[in-house]
Amino acid sequence: MPHPQAPTRRRLCGLLAAALLRPGPATASPEYLPEAEPQPQPFPMAPLAATLTLPPGIRPPVAAVAVLHDRLGPDPRAEPYIRHLLGAGLAAFEILDVAEPGEALVASLAALAADPRVDARRVGALGFGGGAAAALAPGLPLAARALLYPGCEGLARLPDGAWPGQPILLLHGGADTANRVEDCRGAAAALARAGAAVRRIEYRGASYAWDHPGFGLESRLLHPAPDGEGRVEVLPWPGLATISAGHVAGFFARELALPGGRGFTPN
């Protein structure tokens, strides 16, 4: 017979549950502070328009990625990529002016180089469709570039040595009529001959701009081709958009990491 003062199994379980549910002292991750929510900040860059979103809880200066939209201008397509970049501890510099994307990128890089919150040595560029051509321009102070369905046929003839050792990620869909598989293979080979350290990812069955917002796989859109000639069919694929955003963020987190492999400096 148990001692009258001995706790029963039910009482022990109750005490354990109460201990587990009792609120303890507030704690915060050293990398991400709960009160620091990422908010896009208007960036003064007259006469151009842009926003800078800093990763929450990361001590500046931070690596940053300039985001160049497609020919129709800003749309929600960039949102999953920006979320993933912020989650990887990288700032997102979204260029909202698309009239002259090449000039906008040059001005953006100059503005970022003068901003003490950004490490000018660790700036990359992400381009969608027509914006990818601007992101690929040689001679820019970029540490890495990601090109999404850039119009691969137009990349077949590139100047030799234009991107010595430059990490370049090329993403395209296997069912994209504006970025045919054979053309994108040729573009990757041309980039390699031009000195780039290129990685190509082909998404089977994906159309042009698979990451464009839509209401499901049945929603078909027509979008200007990346070279501006005609229209190309778009079949939104939300699940794949999440995957490609993760590929892009992982690429930049690796290529823009601090020496020694640390991709960000926690508080």
Side-chain angles (χ1 to χ4, degrees):
M1 181 174 182
H3 192 278
Q5 298 299 321
T8 65
R9 179 178 298 179
R10 179 177 298 177
R11 185 183 174 203
L12 284 173
C13 291
L15 291 172
L16 178 60
L20 292 174
L21 294 174
R22 185 181 302 119
T27 59
S29 163
E31 293 89 8
Y32 296 95
L33 304 179
E35 68 273 15
E37 292 293 332
Q39 296 293 336
Q41 305 168 24
F43 199 88
M45 198 174 63
L48 304 176
T51 60
L52 177 66
T53 308
L54 296 172
I58 306 299
R59 182 186 303 126
V62 297
V65 176
V67 179
L68 292 93
H69 289 277
D70 212 338
R71 291 186 172 274
L72 290 181
D75 60 42
R77 199 184 326 177
E79 291 179 3
Y81 295 89
I82 291 176
R83 288 197 305 270
H84 279 71
L85 290 172
L86 295 174
L90 307 172
F93 188 81
E94 188 176 8
I95 301 172
L96 304 176
D97 189 296
V98 294
E100 294 293 341
E103 295 179 8
L105 180 57
V106 171
S108 299
L109 295 177
L112 288 174
D115 193 311
R117 298 170 295 178
V118 174
D119 185 347
R121 301 165 301 172
R122 298 189 294 137
V123 174
L126 164 62
F128 296 87
L136 190 58
L140 297 176
L142 289 167
R145 313 174 201 225
L147 314 176
L148 276 73
Y149 37 87
C152 289
E153 184 178 7
L155 305 183
R157 294 175 296 278
L158 297 171
D160 292 339
W163 299 273
Q166 177 81 191
I168 295 179
L169 176 64
L170 172 61
L171 302 183
H172 65 96
D176 180 358
T177 57
N179 291 272
R180 296 179 302 175
V181 173
E182 56 270 27
D183 291 334
C184 289
R185 288 173 180 165
L191 287 167
R193 289 194 300 270
V198 62
R199 181 188 179 196
R200 181 182 67 89
I201 299 179
E202 172 193 335
Y203 299 122
R204 289 189 177 183
S207 72
Y208 182 84
W210 63 82
D211 43 13
H212 197 286
F215 299 103
L217 295 178
E218 297 79 19
S219 300
R220 283 177 167 81
L221 310 169
L222 289 178
H223 198 283
D227 59 4
E229 298 294 329
R231 298 266 175 171
V232 61
E233 185 181 53
V234 172
L235 182 62
W237 193 340
L240 182 57
T242 300
I243 293 173
S244 61
H247 283 153
V248 167
F251 165 77
F252 281 119
R254 180 177 63 253
E255 301 300 342
L256 302 181
L258 288 168
R262 295 176 58 201
F264 56 83
T265 304
N267 283 323

